[in-house]
Amino acid sequence: MPYLHYADTKTGVGHTHPPVLLAFSNHTLSPFILTYSCLSTLWSSGMSNNYMKDNNCYNKNLLTDHKEKLIQAIKRIKHETDECWEEERETYAQRVELEVTFDDLEREIRAEYQNLHCFLEMEEEADMERLRKEREKGVKLLRERERKITEQGKDLERAIETLNNKLKEEDSVKLLKVSEGGREEKMREGMGRCQVNFIPPSAVGCELQSGQFVGPLQYRIWKHMKKSLYPNLSSLTFDPDTAHPLLRLSPSCTSVWFEENKEDLPPEAMEDNPRRFNYYYCLTGKQGFSHGRHYWELEVGQKTAWRVGVVRDDVHRGKMDFCTTANGFWTLALRKGTIQACTHPSPTAVRVSIRPTRIGVFLDCEKEEVSFYNALNMTWLFSFSMGTLSFPLFPFFNPCDTDEGRNTEPLTLFTPAL
């Protein structure tokens, strides 16, 4: 702000003072200098009061505006605070829910291992019981043989004692006076009473072979465990009634591949079947599931493209804008060298260190969840939460086209031989 210059009328000395009023000529609009006497006249005429009033009004408006800005800032920060605490409450709820979920999973895992422990304990007890029975049987036979041998030994010892007593008879003269015939008869009688022979009892076969009780014990238990597996390996077959006309199936309906040659199609493939997929090269399994837990495996080998998973029974069999979770497909696919979970609206890449050659699919209808694994080492790949299910679910398979001869391998249902 420019300062106002004026001259002291008494001393003639110039002074500089903050301006109170800047005056201009009516004609030239050029500023002129107010003298000290002019200022005195202006102040005495009440201009100072007007200035103070204007200044107070300006300050009041400025204060009001400042307060309004502070109030708006407080409101904004209060809103941010509410959002902050709401986010904190939601995070706390998520943490509690996550801890509960982990606790449930821990109990479930312990229960599964407890089942395995119970199975192994039962197998161990059965083996120990079989071993105890064989032991008791062998020991009993040997004890009986031992008793018979002991009795014969005692008989032999008694015979020796009898004969020794005969040798020590003092009345030997009397024995000699007996007639020769009577003497011989008496000797034969005495010897007859001492005629004892050792006859060994029948031998007892007690040789033990380790293979009878141990052998490949772990493999044997593994074979037995197949009966207690839950879920057990589901024995699936492809449903030819749902297969696209260009898909060919093996006679056992356990292998499927794409056939580019449209000639020699079976007549049933050309029939109007509402269950047949007529646009995408896919098909379903013959068995559907609405409850329980189920697991199956598929050999994908070195195929360059495939798609497997589960679908609702009511999915559309013709052309669709997308085949994702939004319309009843929960699938995993190999496309352009990348494994993808077919989520909506865009697929989710699944990172793997080694591309699997066999895929395991685990369906838990109670938890409404389907999971995928590398079946060779049971590494988890991806899981879908399916939500409330009102239709049965069917295994889904798509071997894809031949990819110019690079994808000719079949898609094969794999059943391990335990």
Side-chain angles (χ1 to χ4, degrees):
M1 179 180 291
Y3 284 77
L4 185 64
H5 296 273
Y6 64 93
D8 192 331
T9 55
K10 294 182 178 181
T11 62
V13 181
H15 296 276
T16 303
H17 190 79
V20 178
L21 180 65
L22 184 61
F24 296 89
S25 169
N26 291 332
H27 301 285
T28 63
L29 296 180
S30 58
F32 59 91
I33 303 302
L34 295 177
T35 62
Y36 182 80
S37 59
C38 293
L39 288 173
S40 300
T41 304
L42 290 173
W43 284 107
S44 62
S45 64
M47 186 174 287
S48 61
N49 292 334
N50 292 333
Y51 169 76
M52 293 300 295
K53 289 180 181 180
D54 292 341
N55 192 44
N56 288 338
C57 183
Y58 170 77
N59 290 337
K60 185 176 181 180
N61 292 337
L62 184 63
L63 181 61
T64 301
D65 183 60
H66 185 63
K67 285 183 177 181
E68 184 63 27
K69 290 180 179 180
L70 290 176
I71 292 173
Q72 294 300 324
I74 291 172
K75 288 182 178 180
R76 181 185 61 79
I77 296 175
K78 179 65 168 60
H79 178 71
E80 296 286 340
T81 303
D82 292 341
E83 285 189 353
C84 177
W85 293 127
E86 180 63 25
E87 194 70 24
E88 189 271 342
R89 284 190 293 270
E90 291 180 359
T91 304
Y92 171 77
Q94 290 176 352
R95 178 176 63 82
V96 171
E97 182 180 1
L98 183 64
E99 290 179 346
V100 170
T101 302
F102 272 108
D103 289 341
D104 292 342
L105 288 174
E106 181 178 344
R107 283 191 293 270
E108 185 175 353
I109 291 173
R110 290 189 182 279
E112 291 289 343
Y113 274 101
Q114 186 62 37
N115 291 337
L116 291 175
H117 293 325
C118 289
F119 168 79
L120 292 176
E121 289 173 359
M122 291 174 62
E123 288 289 325
E124 179 184 2
E125 185 59 32
D127 281 349
M128 292 298 102
E129 181 65 22
R130 186 163 61 93
L131 189 64
R132 279 194 294 268
K133 287 182 177 180
E134 289 294 327
R135 178 177 181 173
E136 291 174 358
K137 179 182 177 182
V139 170
K140 182 180 179 180
L141 292 174
L142 289 174
R143 281 180 176 173
E144 180 63 20
R145 190 173 192 271
E146 183 182 5
R147 183 188 64 78
K148 292 179 179 180
I149 293 173
T150 301
E151 288 180 355
Q152 291 191 57
K154 290 180 179 180
D155 290 342
L156 292 170
E157 289 178 349
R158 281 193 296 269
I160 293 172
E161 185 180 0
T162 301
L163 293 175
N164 283 332
N165 289 336
K166 288 293 182 182
L167 290 173
K168 294 178 181 179
E169 276 189 354
E170 296 179 355
D171 197 6
S172 58
V173 177
K174 182 178 179 181
L175 178 62
L176 292 175
K177 289 181 178 181
V178 180
S179 63
E180 184 176 347
R183 185 167 59 248
E184 290 180 358
E185 183 179 353
K186 191 172 182 179
M187 290 181 64
R188 283 196 301 269
E189 181 181 352
M191 290 297 292
R193 289 196 300 267
C194 297
Q195 190 68 32
V196 181
N197 296 320
F198 172 62
I199 303 175
S202 301
V204 175
C206 58
E207 184 179 1
L208 286 178
Q209 299 293 337
S210 173
Q212 182 181 357
F213 299 98
V214 185
L217 187 145
Q218 295 185 11
Y219 184 76
R220 175 165 52 85
I221 297 302
W222 182 35
K223 297 275 260 185
H224 291 178
M225 189 179 291
K226 180 182 177 182
K227 302 175 184 177
S228 64
L229 289 177
Y230 182 73
N232 209 325
L233 292 171
S234 300
S235 180
L236 298 182
T237 55
F238 296 128
D239 185 0
D241 290 339
T242 65
H244 186 278
L246 294 182
L247 293 181
R248 295 297 179 90
L249 278 69
S250 64
S252 62
C253 291
T254 56
S255 291
V256 61
W257 62 94
F258 177 77
E259 182 63 69
E260 285 187 297
N261 188 1
K262 296 183 179 181
E263 299 178 358
D264 301 329
L265 287 177
E268 57 270 19
M270 305 306 297
E271 295 177 358
D272 186 14
N273 183 352
R275 292 183 55 79
R276 186 181 304 281
F277 288 92
N278 54 52
Y279 186 80
Y280 298 102
Y281 306 134
C282 52
L283 74 167
T284 68
K286 205 170 186 65
Q287 299 82 0
F289 307 107
S290 57
H291 62 275
R293 296 190 292 175
H294 310 274
Y295 178 77
W296 59 92
E297 295 181 357
L298 296 111
E299 286 280 4
V300 296
Q302 301 301 320
K303 290 179 66 64
T304 60
W306 47 260
R307 187 177 182 184
V308 298
V310 295
V311 297
R312 288 200 316 258
D313 187 32
D314 65 331
V315 294
H316 186 59
R317 309 296 167 122
K319 185 178 180 180
M320 291 173 279
D321 293 334
F322 45 81
C323 300
T324 64
T325 55
N327 51 3
F329 290 77
W330 294 274
T331 57
L332 197 72
L334 174 65
R335 295 173 179 170
K336 299 179 180 179
T338 302
I339 295 180
Q340 300 175 347
C342 301
T343 51
H344 187 79
S346 59
T348 302
V350 177
R351 294 183 178 180
V352 294
S353 56
I354 300 176
R355 198 170 81 184
T357 58
R358 188 188 307 162
I359 300 295
V361 184
F362 174 55
L363 173 63
D364 191 334
C365 294
E366 274 68 34
K367 291 186 177 180
E368 298 172 339
E369 184 177 280
V370 60
S371 301
F372 298 86
Y373 302 86
N374 180 340
L376 295 182
N377 56 18
M378 294 309 294
T379 302
W380 174 80
L381 298 176
F382 195 82
S383 291
F384 289 98
S385 294
M386 298 180 288
T388 303
L389 300 172
S390 55
F391 292 90
L393 296 172
F394 281 79
F396 174 84
F397 316 95
N398 186 342
C400 300
D401 60 32
T402 58
D403 189 18
E404 297 180 352
R406 293 186 292 268
N407 192 40
T408 58
E409 287 187 52
L411 198 63
T412 303
L413 289 165
F414 179 81
T415 303
L418 297 181

